[in-house]
């Protein structure tokens, strides 16, 4: 799949119109216009990654904010010590991107030399912001609200169905090499609608699948799942699982 920046920009404008037409976005259902965070950077990546989660992070207001403002406004909350999911996932992305750029596996010794990215500091935030600038990030649920963003399974599926046309067009226009879906809730919702390619199946968590449409898909646990994401050793283990499959 080839990423066409001009076509993506046109598609994003159409997607924003679709969301505004189906959500009470000015009053109770504000949203992040998610997608590619830095199109100029994303198009140059040796491995273009799309991360998909069920819910939005760092934004619970009305109106619309653009994910392309992330490097400037930190709408995903990397600089907030209470916001953990983007920080943990960006740490994994950092490792995958470094491998893709250097053409070699990051060793445990090299990983130990990287600053402690779970903690909030200006240096750490800059490293993780750079990692996010190289990817696309979308959520199954587009609307946020002041009552919080935590979803249950049925709510995630209902939002996915509501946003099916939007999600389909987003995935197509983003044209990723690898789709990382975090959480069984988001994965099953997308799979049920056929949005993860004709060959992708359930029951293969942590295994990269050929989607049958020019991209690859992997289902990971959600970064909030303590057993898989609670330490730097676990982040490195997750990286090794994915990297070993990418290298074959």
């Amino acid at each position: 799949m080839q990423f066409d920046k001009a076509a993506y920009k046109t598609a994003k404008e159409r997607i924003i119109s679709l969301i505004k037409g189906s959500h009470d976005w000015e009053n109770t259902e504000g949203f992040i216009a998610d997608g590619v965070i830095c199109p100029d950077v994303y198009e140059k990546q040796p491995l273009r990654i799309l991360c998909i989660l069920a819910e939005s992070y760092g934004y619970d207001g009305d109106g619309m904010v653009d994910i392309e403002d992330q490097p400037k406004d930190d709408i995903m909350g990397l600089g907030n010590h209470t916001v953990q999911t983007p920080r943990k996932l960006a740490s994994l992305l950092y490792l995958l991107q470094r491998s893709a750029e250097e053409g070699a596996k990051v060793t445990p010794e090299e990983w130990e030399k990287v600053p402690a990215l779970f903690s909030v500091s200006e240096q750490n935030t800059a490293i993780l912001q750079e990692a996010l600038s190289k990817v696309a990030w979308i959520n199954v649920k587009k609307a946020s609200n002041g009552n919080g963003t935590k979803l249950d399974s049925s709510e995630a599926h209902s939002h996915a169905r509501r946003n099916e046309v939007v999600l389909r067009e987003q995935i197509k226009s983003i044209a990723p090499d690898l789709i990382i879906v975090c959480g069984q809730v988001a994965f099953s919702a997308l799979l049920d609608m056929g949005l993860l390619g004709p060959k992708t199946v359930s029951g293969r968590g942590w295994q990269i699948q050929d989607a049958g449409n020019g991209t690859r898909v992997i289902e990971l646990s959600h970064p909030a799942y303590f057993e898989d994401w609670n330490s730097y050793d676990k982040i490195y283990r997750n990286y090794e699982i994915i990297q070993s499959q990418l290298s074959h």
Side-chain angles (χ1 to χ4, degrees):
M1 300 175 72
Q2 294 297 317
F3 176 68
D4 184 324
K5 188 168 61 175
Y8 169 77
K9 181 179 179 180
T10 299
K12 184 172 179 179
E13 292 173 353
R14 183 165 57 249
I15 287 163
I16 289 173
S17 294
L18 287 170
I19 297 173
K20 287 182 174 180
S22 58
H23 292 70
D24 185 17
W25 67 282
E26 293 179 294
N27 298 299
T28 61
E29 295 183 312
F31 70 97
I32 297 174
D34 50 18
V36 179
I37 295 175
C38 295
D40 290 340
V41 177
Y42 179 78
E43 70 171 345
K44 299 174 183 176
Q45 294 310 300
L47 179 68
R48 295 191 306 276
I49 298 174
L50 166 61
C51 302
I52 306 180
L53 290 89
E55 55 190 319
S56 60
Y57 297 90
Y59 181 70
D60 61 0
D62 300 327
M64 184 198 86
V65 296
D66 195 324
I67 200 167
E68 292 182 33
D69 291 335
Q70 167 61 29
K72 174 171 63 73
D73 295 336
D74 192 23
I75 57 176
M76 293 165 70
L78 286 178
N80 185 338
H81 73 278
T82 65
V83 179
Q84 294 295 315
T85 289
R87 182 166 293 276
K88 292 178 179 179
L89 185 51
S91 298
L92 174 62
L93 293 170
Y94 166 83
L95 285 166
L96 292 171
Q97 291 162 356
R98 183 167 166 179
S99 285
E101 292 163 5
E102 297 179 358
K105 178 182 176 181
V106 179
T107 67
E109 293 75 19
E110 291 170 328
W111 177 230
E112 289 176 1
K113 295 178 182 178
V114 176
L117 297 177
F118 286 5
S119 61
V120 176
S121 71
E122 186 175 338
Q123 180 187 19
N124 292 354
T125 300
I127 291 171
L128 297 180
Q129 285 282 24
E130 182 178 5
L132 286 186
S133 75
K134 299 175 181 179
V135 304
W137 183 305
I138 65 175
N139 299 298
V140 166
K141 178 184 178 182
K142 301 305 181 188
S144 188
N145 59 66
N147 296 321
T149 59
K150 187 176 181 180
L151 298 180
D152 60 27
S153 179
S154 61
E155 185 181 1
H157 276 80
S158 67
H159 275 277
R161 288 290 181 187
R162 180 182 184 185
N163 297 319
E164 179 175 359
V165 174
V166 167
L167 292 166
R168 187 181 302 278
E169 184 149 359
Q170 283 187 305
I171 294 170
K172 180 180 178 181
S173 64
I174 290 168
D177 299 313
L178 176 66
I179 299 175
I180 296 176
V181 185
C182 292
Q184 190 273 334
V185 170
F187 185 87
S188 63
L190 295 166
L191 186 68
D192 288 347
M193 294 185 294
L195 300 186
L196 296 177
K199 294 174 63 177
T200 303
V201 298
S202 62
R204 295 187 182 177
W206 297 93
Q207 298 178 44
I208 292 179
Q209 301 185 55
D210 178 355
N213 58 3
T215 191
R216 290 175 287 179
V217 177
I218 185 168
E219 175 192 356
L220 308 184
S221 60
H222 191 280
Y225 182 59
F226 188 80
E227 293 299 320
D228 289 339
W229 297 85
N230 70 326
S231 69
Y232 297 107
D233 287 343
K234 296 288 180 64
I235 296 291
Y236 188 80
R237 182 208 64 182
N238 298 347
Y239 157 72
E240 284 192 303
I241 291 171
I242 300 171
Q243 181 60 29
S244 65
Q245 297 175 74
L246 288 173
S247 61
H248 288 91

